[in-house]
Amino acid sequence: MGKALLTRSRNHPLDIIARRTDSAEAIEHALAHLHRTRTIHLWDISRETMHDIIGSLTQPAPMLVSCHISMDMIYSPIRSVSGFIGLNTPSLRFLQLCSVNFRWNDVFLASVPKFQALVCLRLRLEYPDSAPSVPSMVQALQRMPLLEEFRLKLELSPLGQLLVDLRSNG
């Protein structure tokens, strides 16, 4: 049914909302229409689903205004993807990523030019190795002239705390 609706909707703007219970295949099919997507809200996505769909998040998204992605659990960093959220996101104003633990230095340095229109950037990271370095954050923020709200929340989950403890004692 979803595929038929996407076909019938032709080129009308889309709002993609998916939850953990939605299949990776269905989400990936919807993200194939990223070029006409206004909003993406992916709630509590599993690591496996994120790995399956991350390639779809590299397409140009000229109409994308808002993107919220949260993963359901704390995991070690997932592979970084060049071109995350497309190479062309001139309308992207709101970006919120929760527990999406990329290797942020790579993502930030590679992605900053396409985030120049951001008004709100919220990141919640819960794995110690996923946090961006201070110099890369400063460099990134300097290239976001319209940014009004920035929130970076670094939390150590029990797993993250265990990893920090193991490193300090090792």
Side-chain angles (χ1 to χ4, degrees):
M1 174 134 175
K3 290 180 183 182
L5 287 174
L6 284 171
T7 302
R8 282 198 319 244
S9 68
R10 299 191 185 166
N11 286 324
H12 292 286
L14 298 176
D15 296 317
I16 298 172
I17 300 171
R19 292 173 178 73
R20 180 178 179 78
T21 55
D22 296 312
S23 74
E25 181 183 354
I27 297 170
E28 201 166 16
H29 184 73
L31 291 174
H33 298 267
L34 199 58
H35 65 281
R36 62 184 179 120
T37 299
R38 263 189 315 221
T39 60
I40 297 172
H41 293 278
L42 305 178
W43 304 103
D44 296 327
I45 300 299
S46 70
R47 180 182 175 88
E48 294 78 20
T49 298
M50 190 64 171
H51 273 288
D52 290 344
I53 68 169
I54 198 161
S56 299
L57 291 169
T58 61
Q59 306 171 58
M63 297 176 67
L64 188 64
V65 173
S66 178
C67 179
H68 176 133
I69 301 173
S70 68
M71 291 180 65
D72 67 339
M73 294 183 69
I74 310 332
Y75 298 106
S76 59
I78 58 176
R79 64 183 168 92
S80 295
V81 172
S82 177
F84 174 67
I85 306 293
L87 296 173
N88 179 13
T89 55
S91 302
L92 187 62
R93 302 288 185 260
F94 304 95
L95 179 60
Q96 181 170 346
L97 302 171
C98 301
S99 303
V100 180
N101 294 312
F102 291 117
R103 297 207 183 276
W104 275 101
N105 287 339
D106 298 340
V107 172
F108 252 73
L109 293 176
S111 302
V112 167
K114 63 185 163 236
F115 293 153
Q116 290 181 351
L118 276 182
V119 173
C120 177
L121 175 62
R122 296 178 186 161
L123 305 173
R124 188 179 83 211
L125 308 171
E126 297 157 339
Y127 187 82
D129 288 344
S130 68
S133 70
V134 172
S136 72
M137 281 301 303
V138 169
Q139 184 179 9
L141 293 171
Q142 287 173 338
R143 294 187 200 158
M144 297 179 195
L146 302 178
L147 194 66
E148 296 174 7
E149 178 183 347
F150 172 65
R151 292 184 192 178
L152 174 61
K153 189 173 188 178
L154 299 173
E155 296 178 348
L156 285 182
S157 66
L159 173 62
Q161 185 60 53
L162 175 64
L163 291 169
V164 169
D165 291 345
L166 288 173
R167 287 188 186 143
S168 355
N169 295 327

